[in-house]
Short mmCIF file of all heavy atoms in Angstrom, two decimals:
data_model
loop_
_atom_site.label_atom_id
_atom_site.label_comp_id
_atom_site.label_asym_id
_atom_site.label_seq_id
_atom_site.Cartn_x
_atom_site.Cartn_y
_atom_site.Cartn_z
N MET O 650 135.59 111.30 130.84
CA MET O 650 135.34 110.45 129.81
C MET O 650 134.07 109.64 130.12
O MET O 650 134.12 108.94 131.04
CB MET O 650 136.53 109.52 129.50
CG MET O 650 136.39 108.74 128.18
SD MET O 650 137.85 107.78 127.81
CE MET O 650 138.25 108.60 126.24
N SER O 651 133.05 109.81 129.25
CA SER O 651 131.74 109.11 129.59
C SER O 651 131.83 107.58 128.91
O SER O 651 132.41 107.43 127.92
CB SER O 651 130.51 109.81 129.15
OG SER O 651 130.40 109.87 127.75
N ALA O 652 131.15 106.74 129.41
CA ALA O 652 131.05 105.37 128.95
C ALA O 652 130.15 105.44 127.67
O ALA O 652 129.05 105.99 127.66
CB ALA O 652 130.57 104.46 129.87
N ALA O 653 130.59 104.76 126.64
CA ALA O 653 129.83 104.67 125.36
C ALA O 653 128.80 103.58 125.55
O ALA O 653 128.89 102.61 126.25
CB ALA O 653 130.79 104.31 124.17
N ALA O 654 127.66 103.64 124.92
CA ALA O 654 126.56 102.82 124.83
C ALA O 654 127.09 101.45 124.08
O ALA O 654 127.93 101.51 123.14
CB ALA O 654 125.38 103.20 124.16
N PRO O 655 126.78 100.31 124.60
CA PRO O 655 127.13 99.16 123.88
C PRO O 655 126.84 98.98 122.45
O PRO O 655 125.68 99.57 122.11
CB PRO O 655 126.54 97.95 124.70
CG PRO O 655 125.63 98.51 125.53
CD PRO O 655 125.79 99.94 125.66
N SER O 656 127.69 98.55 121.55
CA SER O 656 127.36 98.45 120.05
C SER O 656 126.64 97.11 119.61
O SER O 656 126.63 97.07 118.43
CB SER O 656 128.65 98.84 119.36
OG SER O 656 129.63 97.70 119.66
N PHE O 657 126.50 96.21 120.55
CA PHE O 657 125.77 95.07 120.17
C PHE O 657 124.34 95.07 120.22
O PHE O 657 123.76 95.84 120.91
CB PHE O 657 126.35 93.89 121.00
CG PHE O 657 126.16 94.05 122.53
CD1 PHE O 657 124.88 93.56 122.96
CD2 PHE O 657 126.99 94.75 123.35
CE1 PHE O 657 124.68 93.75 124.43
CE2 PHE O 657 126.70 94.88 124.63
CZ PHE O 657 125.58 94.38 125.16
N LYS O 658 123.73 94.18 119.44
CA LYS O 658 122.32 94.20 119.53
C LYS O 658 121.87 92.64 120.14
O LYS O 658 122.55 91.73 119.90
CB LYS O 658 121.59 94.17 118.14
CG LYS O 658 121.87 95.40 117.41
CD LYS O 658 121.17 95.48 116.25
CE LYS O 658 121.32 96.85 115.43
NZ LYS O 658 120.74 96.87 114.15
N THR O 659 120.84 92.70 120.90
CA THR O 659 120.30 91.32 121.38
C THR O 659 119.34 90.78 120.27
O THR O 659 119.04 91.43 119.28
CB THR O 659 119.54 91.61 122.71
OG1 THR O 659 118.24 92.23 122.39
CG2 THR O 659 120.25 92.38 123.70
N HIS O 660 118.87 89.49 120.55
CA HIS O 660 118.08 88.87 119.62
C HIS O 660 116.71 89.69 119.67
O HIS O 660 116.14 89.64 118.51
CB HIS O 660 117.76 87.46 120.00
CG HIS O 660 117.27 87.42 121.49
ND1 HIS O 660 118.00 87.59 122.58
CD2 HIS O 660 115.97 86.89 121.88
CE1 HIS O 660 117.27 87.44 123.68
NE2 HIS O 660 116.07 87.07 123.22
N LEU O 661 116.31 90.32 120.73
CA LEU O 661 115.05 91.12 120.65
C LEU O 661 115.23 92.37 119.79
O LEU O 661 114.40 92.77 119.11
CB LEU O 661 114.70 91.47 122.03
CG LEU O 661 114.27 90.34 122.90
CD1 LEU O 661 114.09 90.67 124.28
CD2 LEU O 661 113.15 89.47 122.40
N HIS O 662 116.45 92.94 119.88
CA HIS O 662 116.72 94.09 118.94
C HIS O 662 116.58 93.73 117.35
O HIS O 662 115.94 94.28 116.55
CB HIS O 662 118.07 94.69 119.20
CG HIS O 662 118.17 95.43 120.44
ND1 HIS O 662 118.93 95.02 121.54
CD2 HIS O 662 117.59 96.64 120.68
CE1 HIS O 662 118.79 95.88 122.53
NE2 HIS O 662 117.96 96.95 122.15
N ALA O 663 117.17 92.55 117.26
CA ALA O 663 117.24 92.04 115.69
C ALA O 663 115.79 91.64 115.36
O ALA O 663 115.40 91.97 114.20
CB ALA O 663 118.07 90.81 115.74
N LEU O 664 114.92 91.14 116.24
CA LEU O 664 113.60 90.76 115.90
C LEU O 664 112.84 92.06 115.59
O LEU O 664 111.99 92.11 114.62
CB LEU O 664 112.89 89.88 117.00
CG LEU O 664 111.30 89.48 116.85
CD1 LEU O 664 111.26 88.88 115.42
CD2 LEU O 664 110.97 88.85 117.95
N ALA O 665 113.03 92.99 116.42
CA ALA O 665 112.12 94.30 116.23
C ALA O 665 112.54 94.97 115.04
O ALA O 665 111.76 95.41 114.21
CB ALA O 665 112.38 95.21 117.31
N GLU O 666 113.91 94.98 114.55
CA GLU O 666 114.33 95.53 113.45
C GLU O 666 113.76 94.93 112.22
O GLU O 666 113.14 95.46 111.21
CB GLU O 666 115.91 95.56 113.47
CG GLU O 666 116.49 96.35 112.20
CD GLU O 666 117.99 96.34 112.36
OE1 GLU O 666 118.54 96.83 113.40
OE2 GLU O 666 118.74 95.95 111.34
N CYS O 667 113.81 93.59 112.18
CA CYS O 667 113.34 92.73 111.07
C CYS O 667 111.80 92.94 111.03
O CYS O 667 111.37 92.95 109.87
CB CYS O 667 113.72 91.26 111.23
SG CYS O 667 115.43 91.06 110.98
N ALA O 668 111.17 92.97 112.04
CA ALA O 668 109.65 93.02 112.04
C ALA O 668 109.25 94.38 111.51
O ALA O 668 108.21 94.50 110.84
CB ALA O 668 109.12 92.79 113.45
N SER O 669 110.06 95.40 111.73
CA SER O 669 109.74 96.66 111.22
C SER O 669 110.05 96.80 109.62
O SER O 669 109.35 97.47 108.93
CB SER O 669 110.52 97.83 111.81
OG SER O 669 111.97 97.76 111.43
N ILE O 670 110.89 95.98 109.24
CA ILE O 670 111.33 96.01 107.69
C ILE O 670 110.46 95.08 106.92
O ILE O 670 110.00 95.27 105.86
CB ILE O 670 112.82 95.78 107.48
CG1 ILE O 670 113.63 96.81 108.25
CG2 ILE O 670 113.13 95.58 106.13
CD1 ILE O 670 115.08 96.47 108.26
N TYR O 671 110.43 93.81 107.58
CA TYR O 671 109.68 92.68 106.76
C TYR O 671 108.41 92.22 107.49
O TYR O 671 108.18 91.01 107.61
CB TYR O 671 110.70 91.44 106.83
CG TYR O 671 112.05 91.81 106.25
CD1 TYR O 671 113.22 91.81 107.07
CD2 TYR O 671 112.32 92.18 104.85
CE1 TYR O 671 114.45 92.08 106.66
CE2 TYR O 671 113.60 92.45 104.52
CZ TYR O 671 114.60 92.32 105.31
OH TYR O 671 115.84 92.66 104.83
N SER O 672 107.61 93.01 108.07
CA SER O 672 106.59 92.68 108.92
C SER O 672 105.61 91.63 108.34
O SER O 672 105.24 90.72 109.13
CB SER O 672 105.62 93.92 109.19
OG SER O 672 105.09 94.51 108.13
N SER O 673 105.33 91.62 107.12
CA SER O 673 104.36 90.61 106.67
C SER O 673 105.13 89.37 106.07
O SER O 673 104.40 88.48 105.67
CB SER O 673 103.57 91.14 105.56
OG SER O 673 104.27 91.79 104.31
N ARG O 674 106.36 89.43 105.91
CA ARG O 674 107.10 88.33 105.38
C ARG O 674 107.17 87.08 106.42
O ARG O 674 107.31 87.39 107.57
CB ARG O 674 108.54 88.70 105.02
CG ARG O 674 108.38 89.60 103.74
CD ARG O 674 109.73 89.89 103.09
NE ARG O 674 110.19 88.76 102.51
CZ ARG O 674 111.44 88.60 102.00
NH1 ARG O 674 112.23 89.62 101.96
NH2 ARG O 674 111.75 87.53 101.40
N PRO O 675 107.18 85.85 105.96
CA PRO O 675 107.34 84.78 106.87
C PRO O 675 108.65 84.62 107.43
O PRO O 675 109.68 84.76 106.80
CB PRO O 675 106.91 83.51 106.19
CG PRO O 675 107.10 83.94 104.67
CD PRO O 675 107.03 85.39 104.60
N ILE O 676 108.67 84.43 108.86
CA ILE O 676 109.90 84.19 109.50
C ILE O 676 110.13 82.66 109.56
O ILE O 676 111.16 82.13 109.53
CB ILE O 676 110.00 84.78 110.95
CG1 ILE O 676 111.30 84.56 111.46
CG2 ILE O 676 108.79 84.27 111.72
CD1 ILE O 676 111.49 85.44 112.81
N PHE O 677 109.06 81.81 109.64
CA PHE O 677 109.07 80.43 109.61
C PHE O 677 107.73 79.89 109.45
O PHE O 677 106.75 80.63 109.27
CB PHE O 677 109.70 79.76 111.00
CG PHE O 677 108.90 80.18 112.14
CD1 PHE O 677 107.81 79.49 112.55
CD2 PHE O 677 109.41 81.31 113.07
CE1 PHE O 677 107.06 79.88 113.74
CE2 PHE O 677 108.74 81.59 114.16
CZ PHE O 677 107.67 80.99 114.50
N LYS O 678 107.62 78.57 109.30
CA LYS O 678 106.27 77.90 109.17
C LYS O 678 106.04 76.81 110.12
O LYS O 678 106.84 76.14 110.57
CB LYS O 678 106.21 77.11 107.66
CG LYS O 678 106.20 78.23 106.63
CD LYS O 678 106.13 77.45 105.28
CE LYS O 678 106.04 78.39 104.08
NZ LYS O 678 105.82 77.77 102.86
N LEU O 679 104.89 76.96 110.69
CA LEU O 679 104.38 75.83 111.60
C LEU O 679 103.88 74.70 110.80
O LEU O 679 103.07 74.85 109.99
CB LEU O 679 103.31 76.45 112.55
CG LEU O 679 103.57 77.45 113.52
CD1 LEU O 679 102.34 77.86 114.22
CD2 LEU O 679 104.64 77.08 114.44
N PRO O 680 104.24 73.51 111.27
CA PRO O 680 103.88 72.35 110.48
C PRO O 680 102.36 71.89 110.78
O PRO O 680 102.00 72.13 111.94
CB PRO O 680 104.78 71.15 111.06
CG PRO O 680 105.31 71.67 112.45
CD PRO O 680 105.30 73.23 112.32
N ILE O 681 101.72 71.54 109.81
CA ILE O 681 100.37 71.00 109.84
C ILE O 681 100.34 69.70 109.41
O ILE O 681 100.70 69.27 108.35
CB ILE O 681 99.47 72.01 108.73
CG1 ILE O 681 99.65 73.43 109.04
CG2 ILE O 681 98.02 71.53 108.88
CD1 ILE O 681 99.11 73.95 110.36
N TYR O 682 99.81 68.78 110.31
CA TYR O 682 99.79 67.25 110.19
C TYR O 682 98.19 67.00 110.02
O TYR O 682 97.30 67.62 110.51
CB TYR O 682 100.30 66.65 111.38
CG TYR O 682 101.74 66.91 111.53
CD1 TYR O 682 102.11 67.97 112.45
CD2 TYR O 682 102.69 66.10 111.00
CE1 TYR O 682 103.45 68.18 112.60
CE2 TYR O 682 104.06 66.25 111.21
CZ TYR O 682 104.45 67.45 112.02
OH TYR O 682 105.77 67.64 112.18
N ASP O 683 98.02 65.88 109.25
CA ASP O 683 96.72 65.34 109.09
C ASP O 683 96.42 64.49 110.20
O ASP O 683 97.29 64.34 111.18
CB ASP O 683 96.50 64.57 107.74
CG ASP O 683 97.42 63.37 107.57
OD1 ASP O 683 97.92 62.99 108.50
OD2 ASP O 683 97.48 62.98 106.36
N ALA O 684 95.22 63.70 110.22
CA ALA O 684 94.87 62.84 111.25
C ALA O 684 95.74 61.78 111.49
O ALA O 684 95.85 61.11 112.71
CB ALA O 684 93.42 62.31 111.09
N GLU O 685 96.42 61.32 110.51
CA GLU O 685 97.46 60.13 110.61
C GLU O 685 98.81 60.48 111.05
O GLU O 685 99.72 59.82 111.09
CB GLU O 685 97.49 59.47 109.33
CG GLU O 685 96.24 58.55 108.90
CD GLU O 685 95.06 59.43 108.39
OE1 GLU O 685 95.45 60.43 107.62
OE2 GLU O 685 93.93 59.28 108.74
N GLY O 686 99.05 61.79 111.24
CA GLY O 686 100.39 62.44 111.70
C GLY O 686 101.20 62.65 110.51
O GLY O 686 102.44 62.74 110.75
N VAL O 687 100.76 62.69 109.27
CA VAL O 687 101.58 62.99 108.13
C VAL O 687 101.65 64.49 107.89
O VAL O 687 100.69 65.20 107.87
CB VAL O 687 100.98 62.30 106.89
CG1 VAL O 687 101.74 62.70 105.64
CG2 VAL O 687 101.08 60.75 107.01
N LEU O 688 102.77 65.07 107.86
CA LEU O 688 102.96 66.47 107.50
C LEU O 688 102.36 66.73 106.18
O LEU O 688 102.79 66.12 105.21
CB LEU O 688 104.47 66.82 107.50
CG LEU O 688 104.88 68.17 107.25
CD1 LEU O 688 104.23 69.23 108.42
CD2 LEU O 688 106.32 68.23 107.13
N ARG O 689 101.43 67.68 106.20
CA ARG O 689 100.76 68.21 104.94
C ARG O 689 101.21 69.50 104.37
O ARG O 689 101.32 69.60 103.22
CB ARG O 689 99.27 68.04 105.22
CG ARG O 689 98.65 66.82 105.37
CD ARG O 689 98.88 65.96 104.20
NE ARG O 689 98.50 64.51 104.31
CZ ARG O 689 98.74 63.56 103.46
NH1 ARG O 689 99.43 63.75 102.48
NH2 ARG O 689 98.23 62.51 103.75
N THR O 690 101.53 70.42 105.21
CA THR O 690 101.82 71.71 104.79
C THR O 690 102.39 72.49 106.01
O THR O 690 102.66 72.02 107.07
CB THR O 690 100.58 72.52 104.24
OG1 THR O 690 101.04 73.68 103.58
CG2 THR O 690 99.56 72.82 105.29
N GLY O 691 102.72 73.78 105.75
CA GLY O 691 103.18 74.61 106.80
C GLY O 691 102.49 75.87 106.82
O GLY O 691 102.22 76.48 105.69
N ALA O 692 101.90 76.44 108.07
CA ALA O 692 101.23 77.74 108.08
C ALA O 692 102.27 78.76 108.40
O ALA O 692 103.06 78.77 109.34
CB ALA O 692 100.47 77.61 109.37
N PRO O 693 102.47 79.74 107.28
CA PRO O 693 103.53 80.83 107.61
C PRO O 693 103.10 81.59 108.74
O PRO O 693 102.13 82.01 108.95
CB PRO O 693 103.39 81.64 106.35
CG PRO O 693 102.15 81.24 105.66
CD PRO O 693 101.58 79.92 106.13
N ILE O 694 104.25 82.04 109.36
CA ILE O 694 104.16 83.06 110.61
C ILE O 694 104.95 84.20 110.19
O ILE O 694 106.16 84.06 109.93
CB ILE O 694 104.61 82.38 111.93
CG1 ILE O 694 103.94 81.02 112.20
CG2 ILE O 694 104.63 83.40 113.12
CD1 ILE O 694 102.46 81.17 112.48
N SER O 695 104.42 85.36 110.21
CA SER O 695 105.07 86.68 109.77
C SER O 695 105.98 87.12 110.94
O SER O 695 105.75 86.79 112.12
CB SER O 695 104.09 87.69 109.39
OG SER O 695 103.52 88.11 110.53
N PHE O 696 106.92 87.94 110.54
CA PHE O 696 107.89 88.57 111.44
C PHE O 696 106.91 89.27 112.58
O PHE O 696 107.18 89.31 113.78
CB PHE O 696 108.83 89.62 110.75
CG PHE O 696 110.01 88.87 110.26
CD1 PHE O 696 109.91 88.44 109.02
CD2 PHE O 696 111.20 88.75 111.08
CE1 PHE O 696 111.11 87.87 108.51
CE2 PHE O 696 112.25 88.25 110.55
CZ PHE O 696 112.31 87.77 109.26
N ALA O 697 105.83 90.03 112.02
CA ALA O 697 105.07 90.84 113.00
C ALA O 697 104.32 89.97 113.87
O ALA O 697 104.28 90.21 115.08
CB ALA O 697 104.16 91.81 112.20
N HIS O 698 103.64 88.81 113.49
CA HIS O 698 102.94 87.91 114.32
C HIS O 698 103.91 87.32 115.22
O HIS O 698 103.55 87.30 116.47
CB HIS O 698 102.38 86.77 113.38
CG HIS O 698 101.51 85.98 114.15
ND1 HIS O 698 100.22 85.54 113.65
CD2 HIS O 698 101.61 85.37 115.34
CE1 HIS O 698 99.73 84.71 114.48
NE2 HIS O 698 100.52 84.45 115.50
N PHE O 699 105.09 86.86 114.82
CA PHE O 699 106.02 86.28 115.76
C PHE O 699 106.47 87.34 116.91
O PHE O 699 106.52 87.02 118.15
CB PHE O 699 107.37 85.78 115.09
CG PHE O 699 108.28 85.12 115.98
CD1 PHE O 699 107.93 83.97 116.77
CD2 PHE O 699 109.52 85.56 116.10
CE1 PHE O 699 108.79 83.20 117.59
CE2 PHE O 699 110.46 84.98 116.88
CZ PHE O 699 109.98 83.82 117.58
N GLN O 700 106.87 88.63 116.52
CA GLN O 700 107.19 89.53 117.45
C GLN O 700 106.01 89.90 118.51
O GLN O 700 106.31 89.94 119.81
CB GLN O 700 107.58 90.94 116.84
CG GLN O 700 107.92 91.88 117.74
CD GLN O 700 108.28 93.29 117.05
OE1 GLN O 700 107.75 93.57 116.07
NE2 GLN O 700 109.14 94.01 117.87
N SER O 701 104.75 89.66 117.92
CA SER O 701 103.61 89.99 118.87
C SER O 701 103.47 88.87 119.87
O SER O 701 103.29 89.10 121.13
CB SER O 701 102.29 90.12 118.04
OG SER O 701 101.28 90.10 118.92
N ASP O 702 103.73 87.62 119.37
CA ASP O 702 103.75 86.36 120.22
C ASP O 702 104.76 86.47 121.39
O ASP O 702 104.55 86.16 122.56
CB ASP O 702 103.85 85.12 119.49
CG ASP O 702 102.66 84.75 118.68
OD1 ASP O 702 101.52 85.37 119.00
OD2 ASP O 702 102.71 83.77 117.92
N VAL O 703 106.01 86.84 120.89
CA VAL O 703 107.02 87.07 121.92
C VAL O 703 106.74 88.15 122.92
O VAL O 703 106.95 87.84 124.18
CB VAL O 703 108.42 87.51 121.12
CG1 VAL O 703 109.51 87.88 122.12
CG2 VAL O 703 108.93 86.31 120.26
N GLU O 704 106.31 89.30 122.58
CA GLU O 704 105.87 90.31 123.56
C GLU O 704 104.82 89.85 124.42
O GLU O 704 104.77 90.11 125.57
CB GLU O 704 105.40 91.51 122.80
CG GLU O 704 106.69 92.23 122.18
CD GLU O 704 106.38 93.38 121.21
OE1 GLU O 704 105.07 93.69 120.91
OE2 GLU O 704 107.19 93.91 120.67
N HIS O 705 103.89 89.12 123.91
CA HIS O 705 102.71 88.49 124.77
C HIS O 705 103.19 87.69 125.73
O HIS O 705 102.84 87.65 126.96
CB HIS O 705 101.62 87.96 123.78
CG HIS O 705 100.55 87.38 124.44
ND1 HIS O 705 99.47 88.15 124.91
CD2 HIS O 705 100.21 86.07 124.71
CE1 HIS O 705 98.58 87.32 125.65
NE2 HIS O 705 98.95 86.11 125.56
N PHE O 706 104.09 86.78 125.34
CA PHE O 706 104.60 85.72 126.20
C PHE O 706 105.46 86.47 127.44
O PHE O 706 105.40 86.09 128.48
CB PHE O 706 105.41 84.60 125.53
CG PHE O 706 106.00 83.63 126.46
CD1 PHE O 706 105.05 82.67 127.06
CD2 PHE O 706 107.22 83.69 126.85
CE1 PHE O 706 105.60 81.78 127.90
CE2 PHE O 706 107.84 82.64 127.72
CZ PHE O 706 106.91 81.71 128.28
N ALA O 707 106.18 87.40 126.90
CA ALA O 707 107.08 88.18 127.89
C ALA O 707 106.17 88.84 128.99
O ALA O 707 106.58 88.82 130.15
CB ALA O 707 108.01 89.08 127.14
N ALA O 708 105.23 89.43 128.52
CA ALA O 708 104.21 90.15 129.57
C ALA O 708 103.66 89.09 130.45
O ALA O 708 103.56 89.39 131.58
CB ALA O 708 103.21 90.85 128.76
N HIS O 709 103.26 87.94 129.82
CA HIS O 709 102.58 86.93 130.71
C HIS O 709 103.61 86.42 131.76
O HIS O 709 103.26 86.23 132.88
CB HIS O 709 102.17 85.72 129.82
CG HIS O 709 101.84 84.45 130.54
ND1 HIS O 709 100.71 84.34 131.25
CD2 HIS O 709 102.50 83.31 130.76
CE1 HIS O 709 100.55 83.29 131.87
NE2 HIS O 709 101.66 82.50 131.44
N LEU O 710 104.92 86.05 131.25
CA LEU O 710 105.93 85.64 132.18
C LEU O 710 106.27 86.76 133.12
O LEU O 710 106.54 86.44 134.34
CB LEU O 710 107.21 85.37 131.30
CG LEU O 710 108.33 84.66 132.07
CD1 LEU O 710 107.90 83.39 132.77
CD2 LEU O 710 109.50 84.36 131.17
N ALA O 711 106.22 88.02 132.88
CA ALA O 711 106.63 89.16 133.86
C ALA O 711 105.42 89.09 134.91
O ALA O 711 105.74 89.21 136.14
CB ALA O 711 106.65 90.43 133.15
N ARG O 712 104.28 88.94 134.46
CA ARG O 712 103.16 88.89 135.51
C ARG O 712 103.24 87.69 136.36
O ARG O 712 102.95 87.84 137.59
CB ARG O 712 101.73 88.87 134.74
CG ARG O 712 101.34 90.13 134.12
CD ARG O 712 99.96 90.17 133.61
NE ARG O 712 99.66 89.09 132.64
CZ ARG O 712 99.83 89.23 131.34
NH1 ARG O 712 100.25 90.34 130.82
NH2 ARG O 712 99.49 88.27 130.53
N LYS O 713 103.70 86.56 135.79
CA LYS O 713 103.74 85.44 136.80
C LYS O 713 104.92 85.52 137.67
O LYS O 713 104.77 85.19 138.83
CB LYS O 713 103.96 84.13 135.81
CG LYS O 713 102.82 83.67 134.98
CD LYS O 713 101.75 83.10 135.72
CE LYS O 713 101.97 81.65 136.22
NZ LYS O 713 100.95 81.24 137.14
N LEU O 714 106.04 85.98 137.18
CA LEU O 714 107.19 86.18 138.10
C LEU O 714 106.78 87.28 139.18
O LEU O 714 107.27 87.05 140.40
CB LEU O 714 108.37 86.65 137.25
CG LEU O 714 108.96 85.69 136.36
CD1 LEU O 714 110.04 86.15 135.38
CD2 LEU O 714 109.59 84.40 137.16
N GLU O 715 106.14 88.26 138.83
CA GLU O 715 105.66 89.31 139.83
C GLU O 715 104.83 88.65 140.75
O GLU O 715 105.01 88.89 142.06
CB GLU O 715 105.06 90.50 139.10
CG GLU O 715 104.89 91.63 140.13
CD GLU O 715 104.34 92.89 139.36
OE1 GLU O 715 104.69 93.02 138.30
OE2 GLU O 715 103.49 93.60 139.94
N ALA O 716 103.85 87.88 140.34
CA ALA O 716 102.97 87.30 141.40
C ALA O 716 103.64 86.27 142.30
O ALA O 716 103.23 86.08 143.48
CB ALA O 716 101.76 86.58 140.62
N ASP O 717 104.68 85.71 141.79
CA ASP O 717 105.32 84.67 142.62
C ASP O 717 106.46 85.39 143.53
O ASP O 717 107.09 84.65 144.28
CB ASP O 717 106.16 83.76 141.70
CG ASP O 717 105.08 82.78 141.09
OD1 ASP O 717 103.95 82.72 141.54
OD2 ASP O 717 105.47 81.99 140.01
N GLY O 718 106.54 86.67 143.36
CA GLY O 718 107.52 87.53 144.21
C GLY O 718 108.85 87.43 143.66
O GLY O 718 109.91 87.53 144.29
#
């Protein structure tokens, strides 16, 4: 009897799935403040942009960890 693959998804699986379906839709907004520190608006970040940022940071972190042994 062979072991079945796990049926759960990680947060990265969920992000990849949502990014493939809703790539241009906003996942959240970054706050934009004026010079006095008053919140003025929010800059939308799309699923695709967020996934790209996550992958970029993961690659950076992997390089740092590899360099540190």
